[in-house]
Amino acid sequence: MTQQLVEELFIKYFHNSILDSGLDSAMLSLKAGKWAMTTDSFVVKPVFFPGGDIGKLSVCGTINDLAVMGATPLYLTCSFIIEEGFDIGDLEIIVQSMNSTARKDGLTIVAGDTKVVERGYCDGVYITTTGLGIVPNGINYSPSAMQVEDRVIITAPPGAHGLSVFAARNNLGVEPPPQSDCASLFSLIEPLNSLEVRCMRDPTRGGLAAVLNELALKGRKGIKIDESLIPIDSTVANLMELLGLEPYQLANEGAAVIIVSKKDAERALEKLRGHPLGRKASIIGEITAEIPGQVLMITYLGTERIMQMPSGVIIPRIC
Amino acid sequence: MTQQLVEELFIKYFHNSILDSGLDSAMLSLKAGKWAMTTDSFVVKPVFFPGGDIGKLSVCGTINDLAVMGATPLYLTCSFIIEEGFDIGDLEIIVQSMNSTARKDGLTIVAGDTKVVERGYCDGVYITTTGLGIVPNGINYSPSAMQVEDRVIITAPPGAHGLSVFAARNNLGVEPPPQSDCASLFSLIEPLNSLEVRCMRDPTRGGLAAVLNELALKGRKGIKIDESLIPIDSTVANLMELLGLEPYQLANEGAAVIIVSKKDAERALEKLRGHPLGRKASIIGEITAEIPGQVLMITYLGTERIMQMPSGVIIPRIC
């Protein structure tokens, strides 16, 4: 019965000509070219957190993985694993939020599936989304395109999503509760496709530290960043200090790290800051020939230290 | 740590140039045309059953959803939700079986994701696969294309998968244990694309009864079938009789229901019977102008009865 209720919800909110055909597969007319495809499962706990919910997160996460490759996200599939007894009202809120998030960027939800499992074999609801987006001609973002003196931009203060989920899960009782930055980055970063962008990443699991280390390793260059240039959210900063944690290993779900040529860095920054999601965007460092594969941070104190790749998961189930 | 082990497994087995690039999204060069896209989550219990496992099932299920639309499956993404403590050796068998199943049909696994949840929030492992396949020009399968006197073919005896999972889960102790028919149907049904096929469906959840009722409803035609023409697997038949169940509501994972023009029905049957998965293929009925939206079955006894749409799930978590 849950099954049927859920399918009715999908039809109510997601309806479009492709989905409504009710065929075993969605039929898409695709243009010739380069397409980006990505998939992610979302198991965030709790499913509702300040600033978002698992539905919004599952759509934004996939949009962002496409957008950082320069792609325009067009099609989305979603598959639900639902625990028997999960509140159908909550499910409706989740489905609504997937729908409004997808429509805002012009995505069509073309196929879906639902499986119901007995109590105790899921944690409310898990959602897997898969996205398909077209990549404009000439766009070929890759860490191997990074060049010495390229600039490193982060579009928002690090750690907001990870902290929000951590606080919500542990009933920290902080008022106002820290908000997740969960958002689609497509409209923020798509305008950068006209500039000399080398590559982009969204710092989710492992945060800024993981993304910078990954870029340094894959691009075989060094990255030098200046801690004093990293934008700060005061709620995040205060709480992190209290907890004795650094925000650099905490996830964002509405920020991007962008490697752009020295020449175009200021123009990129200008475009980003003109968008509500990029107001705190900042050039935080540059690509270097020294220390290839490593990330060096000049701290607030003026000392230098290697920013390590996070080992293990600090906060599980944040996405 | 599970996370890392799993990612190493994926690289070991799934490696290919697209996946190995390690980008946030897979980059695909697609031809212009009609593409089929489908997604499914798999939560089968137990994850190993006679004739297959959740890995093989998750790849076959998605291949089959594409193949019944006439598509050639080309790309696959897979996302794992894994319970902490799940045996890594078992996971390796599952990943191997996904890999060999995908490669057999020439599919490339282009993207993946893994999430680990604590004990008690999953049932070993759940897998979500999404497939993308190209549809040849001129193929446009749909129940609305069905015409009176078209023939109804089933390619294998009904119920084998559902019964196999049911027996394995309930330790029925039947020897030999009933085998699932879990298989990719692509090589079986692709040759039919040159014939006057109207539409195809794979009878998974709800079995033959669900598929026939769905076709009748969506095609706004009647379907008349002859029970004595439905192929039988004697293990399934005996056990079903013992359990007081009908095989028509039980799932297959290696059978297709095919609606083909009267003119091409015998040629279709010939092609199907020449393939190991179609040896028992049979024309079981036809499309009628009477009783639109309903399925009429002439029973072994010569009486007529309406084959109802299954209400509710008889055996949960079969896929």
Side-chain angles (χ1 to χ4, degrees):
Chain A
M1 224 173 69
T2 310
Q3 191 89 35
Q4 207 177 328
L5 280 169
V6 173
E7 275 155 25
E8 280 163 18
L9 271 187
F10 292 169
I11 292 165
K12 180 172 168 192
Y13 289 101
F14 296 159
H15 65 89
N16 60 66
S17 60
I18 297 169
L19 192 66
D20 296 352
S21 73
L23 298 170
D24 278 19
S25 301
M27 285 296 156
L28 313 176
S29 284
L30 303 186
K31 285 198 296 189
K34 199 159 68 167
W35 289 78
M37 189 176 189
T38 188
T39 194
D40 269 301
S41 287
F42 294 85
V43 300
V44 64
K45 177 188 190 134
V47 295
F48 294 97
F49 48 83
D53 59 54
I54 192 171
K56 182 181 180 190
L57 185 66
S58 70
V59 175
C60 290
T62 290
I63 288 178
N64 294 349
D65 277 350
L66 295 173
V68 295
M69 299 306 299
T72 299
L74 292 177
Y75 302 110
L76 195 75
T77 67
C78 54
S79 195
F80 290 69
I81 298 171
I82 300 172
E83 188 178 10
E84 224 172 359
F86 185 69
D87 187 86
I88 194 87
D90 283 350
L91 197 64
E92 183 156 4
I93 296 171
I94 290 166
V95 169
Q96 271 179 309
S97 102
M98 294 181 75
N99 185 50
S100 62
T101 309
R103 286 189 194 252
K104 213 180 286 173
D105 280 332
L107 271 87
T108 309
I109 295 174
V110 295
D113 183 43
T114 317
K115 294 287 152 61
V116 178
V117 296
E118 316 89 290
R119 270 174 213 263
Y121 292 114
C122 179
D123 197 358
V125 58
Y126 300 148
I127 302 176
T128 302
T129 52
T130 305
L132 193 61
I134 191 154
V135 183
N137 282 332
I139 299 285
N140 193 16
Y141 297 153
S142 162
S144 58
M146 298 192 321
Q147 294 178 21
V148 171
E149 294 205 327
D150 282 350
R151 297 303 192 241
V152 181
I153 294 177
I154 186 162
T155 63
H161 177 72
L163 189 67
S164 163
V165 170
F166 179 78
R169 195 185 305 159
N170 294 289
N171 295 310
L172 290 193
V174 187
E175 282 305 332
Q179 297 281 310
S180 166
D181 58 349
C182 178
S184 161
L185 295 169
F186 176 63
S187 62
L188 172 70
I189 60 184
E190 193 271 339
L192 303 193
N193 282 344
S194 60
L195 304 180
E196 268 183 14
V197 168
R198 313 299 191 190
C199 61
M200 304 194 256
R201 282 286 187 284
D202 56 329
T204 57
R205 277 193 279 195
L208 178 64
V211 159
L212 291 178
N213 273 284
E214 192 206 330
L215 291 174
L217 277 169
K218 290 201 172 146
R220 298 171 190 215
K221 297 276 188 302
I223 297 181
K224 197 162 112 183
I225 62 165
D226 183 338
E227 190 170 24
S228 65
L229 299 175
I230 300 175
I232 290 178
D233 175 300
S234 58
T235 314
V236 175
N238 293 339
L239 204 53
M240 294 302 280
E241 208 176 305
L242 213 67
L243 297 166
L245 293 172
E246 264 188 352
Y248 313 133
Q249 302 197 359
L250 283 191
N252 287 75
E253 289 289 347
V257 171
I258 299 161
I259 311 295
V260 58
S261 73
K262 179 183 173 184
K263 169 175 89 61
D264 277 355
E266 285 298 333
R267 287 188 59 204
L269 202 60
E270 208 174 289
K271 282 177 187 264
L272 292 168
R273 287 189 173 164
H275 189 287
L277 292 175
R279 276 197 300 261
K280 292 188 174 177
S282 172
I283 298 173
I284 61 170
E286 63 181 83
I287 306 303
T288 68
E290 299 90 60
I291 54 158
Q294 290 197 298
V295 181
L296 186 79
M297 182 165 79
I298 303 163
T299 68
Y300 288 119
L301 306 171
T303 58
E304 292 188 346
R305 72 170 170 90
I306 296 295
M307 183 184 251
Q308 302 286 350
M309 177 69 95
S311 62
V313 177
I314 301 178
I315 305 178
R317 293 185 56 190
I318 48 109
C319 63
Chain B
M1 222 172 72
T2 311
Q3 191 88 34
Q4 206 178 328
L5 279 170
V6 172
E7 276 154 25
E8 281 163 18
L9 271 185
F10 291 170
I11 292 165
K12 179 171 168 192
Y13 288 102
F14 295 161
H15 66 89
N16 59 66
S17 61
I18 298 170
L19 192 66
D20 296 352
S21 73
L23 297 170
D24 277 18
S25 302
M27 285 294 156
L28 312 176
S29 283
L30 303 185
K31 286 198 296 188
K34 199 160 64 167
W35 289 78
M37 189 176 188
T38 189
T39 194
D40 268 302
S41 286
F42 294 85
V43 299
V44 64
K45 178 188 190 135
V47 295
F48 294 95
F49 48 83
D53 59 54
I54 192 171
K56 182 181 179 188
L57 185 65
S58 70
V59 175
C60 290
T62 289
I63 288 176
N64 294 349
D65 277 350
L66 295 173
V68 295
M69 299 306 299
T72 300
L74 291 177
Y75 302 109
L76 195 74
T77 66
C78 55
S79 195
F80 290 70
I81 298 171
I82 301 172
E83 188 178 10
E84 225 172 356
F86 186 69
D87 187 87
I88 195 85
D90 283 351
L91 196 64
E92 183 156 6
I93 296 171
I94 290 166
V95 169
Q96 270 180 309
S97 105
M98 293 181 77
N99 184 52
S100 63
T101 309
R103 286 188 194 254
K104 213 181 286 172
D105 279 333
L107 271 87
T108 309
I109 296 175
V110 295
D113 183 43
T114 317
K115 294 286 152 61
V116 178
V117 296
E118 317 89 290
R119 270 173 214 265
Y121 292 113
C122 179
D123 198 359
V125 60
Y126 300 149
I127 302 176
T128 301
T129 52
T130 305
L132 193 63
I134 191 156
V135 183
N137 282 332
I139 299 284
N140 193 15
Y141 297 152
S142 162
S144 59
M146 298 192 319
Q147 295 179 21
V148 172
E149 295 205 328
D150 282 350
R151 298 303 193 241
V152 180
I153 294 178
I154 186 164
T155 63
H161 178 71
L163 189 67
S164 162
V165 171
F166 179 79
R169 195 184 306 159
N170 295 287
N171 295 309
L172 289 192
V174 186
E175 282 302 334
Q179 297 282 310
S180 166
D181 59 349
C182 178
S184 161
L185 295 169
F186 176 63
S187 62
L188 172 70
I189 61 185
E190 193 271 341
L192 302 192
N193 283 342
S194 60
L195 303 180
E196 268 182 15
V197 168
R198 314 298 192 191
C199 61
M200 305 196 255
R201 282 286 186 286
D202 56 329
T204 56
R205 278 193 279 194
L208 179 64
V211 159
L212 291 177
N213 273 283
E214 192 206 329
L215 291 174
L217 278 169
K218 291 201 172 146
R220 296 169 191 218
K221 298 277 188 299
I223 296 180
K224 198 163 111 181
I225 61 163
D226 185 337
E227 189 170 25
S228 66
L229 298 176
I230 299 176
I232 289 177
D233 173 300
S234 58
T235 314
V236 175
N238 293 340
L239 203 51
M240 294 303 279
E241 208 175 303
L242 214 65
L243 297 166
L245 293 172
E246 264 188 351
Y248 313 133
Q249 302 196 359
L250 283 193
N252 288 75
E253 290 288 347
V257 171
I258 297 161
I259 312 296
V260 58
S261 73
K262 179 181 173 185
K263 169 173 89 62
D264 277 356
E266 285 298 333
R267 287 189 57 205
L269 203 61
E270 208 174 291
K271 282 177 187 262
L272 291 168
R273 287 188 173 163
H275 189 286
L277 293 174
R279 278 197 301 258
K280 291 187 174 177
S282 171
I283 298 172
I284 62 170
E286 64 181 81
I287 306 303
T288 68
E290 299 91 61
I291 54 159
Q294 291 197 297
V295 181
L296 186 78
M297 181 165 79
I298 303 163
T299 68
Y300 289 120
L301 305 170
T303 58
E304 291 186 346
R305 71 170 169 91
I306 298 294
M307 183 183 251
Q308 303 285 350
M309 178 69 95
S311 61
V313 176
I314 301 178
I315 305 178
R317 295 186 54 190
I318 47 109
C319 62

